[in-house]
Amino acid sequence: MPQGVDYTLAKRAAIAQWRAGRVPVTDICDAQPALIRAAEAMGEPLDEKCPVCEKRSLVAVSFTYGSSLRRYNGRICTPERFELLQASHDEFVCYVVEVCTACTWNHLARRFLAGRAHAS
Ligand SMILES: [Zn+2]
């Protein structure tokens, strides 16, 4: 796992707040239609059921940021493109969002630096 920040604790805290009735489900299930479409078209299915609706498996959607990425800056990144960017750029940032396409729950899962400078 490359160097980065894992948001698992924040995710557990948000789910716990919802289970305790402290936040409405609409506060945590608020994925934009564009994110849901991206998850359906380009996401990576995870071996983990949605913690909110428990209907579908979560899907991971990755975004890449970095001025050197040019047209891929701020774009959704497939695993194949990630490999290409990783091999051809010194450094960029990758954000991974977990999405449920059934109830629109979404959460930032992790953020890490990628690129040749961080390849191990
Ligand atoms: Zn769900």
Side-chain angles (χ1 to χ4, degrees):
M1 174 79 137
Q3 136 190 32
V5 184
D6 187 308
Y7 293 95
T8 302
L9 288 179
K11 167 179 157 180
R12 287 203 194 115
I15 294 296
Q17 291 278 60
W18 165 69
R19 288 216 169 107
R22 292 196 199 100
V23 295
V25 74
T26 47
D27 269 25
I28 56 171
C29 295
D30 61 352
Q32 299 293 316
L35 180 57
I36 297 297
R37 281 196 298 273
E40 287 170 345
M42 301 168 79
E44 274 183 274
L46 300 175
D47 190 20
E48 185 185 339
K49 279 262 187 280
C50 171
V52 176
C53 72
E54 296 178 347
K55 281 184 192 152
R56 275 187 212 161
S57 294
L58 294 174
V59 176
V61 182
S62 301
F63 296 85
T64 48
Y65 291 89
S67 53
S68 75
L69 300 181
R70 297 170 183 273
R71 67 196 176 100
Y72 295 125
N73 183 14
R75 296 286 295 275
I76 290 163
C77 188
T78 60
E80 295 76 27
R81 189 188 293 159
F82 181 85
E83 291 301 319
L84 289 173
L85 296 178
Q86 170 89 345
S88 56
H89 294 270
D90 285 337
E91 185 174 285
F92 57 96
V93 184
C94 191
Y95 286 85
V96 181
V97 178
E98 291 175 355
V99 184
C100 172
T101 56
C103 73
T104 74
W105 181 73
N106 64 110
H107 200 276
L108 178 62
R110 59 186 189 275
R111 183 190 65 149
F112 59 91
L113 291 170
R116 286 182 299 222
H118 303 279
S120 50

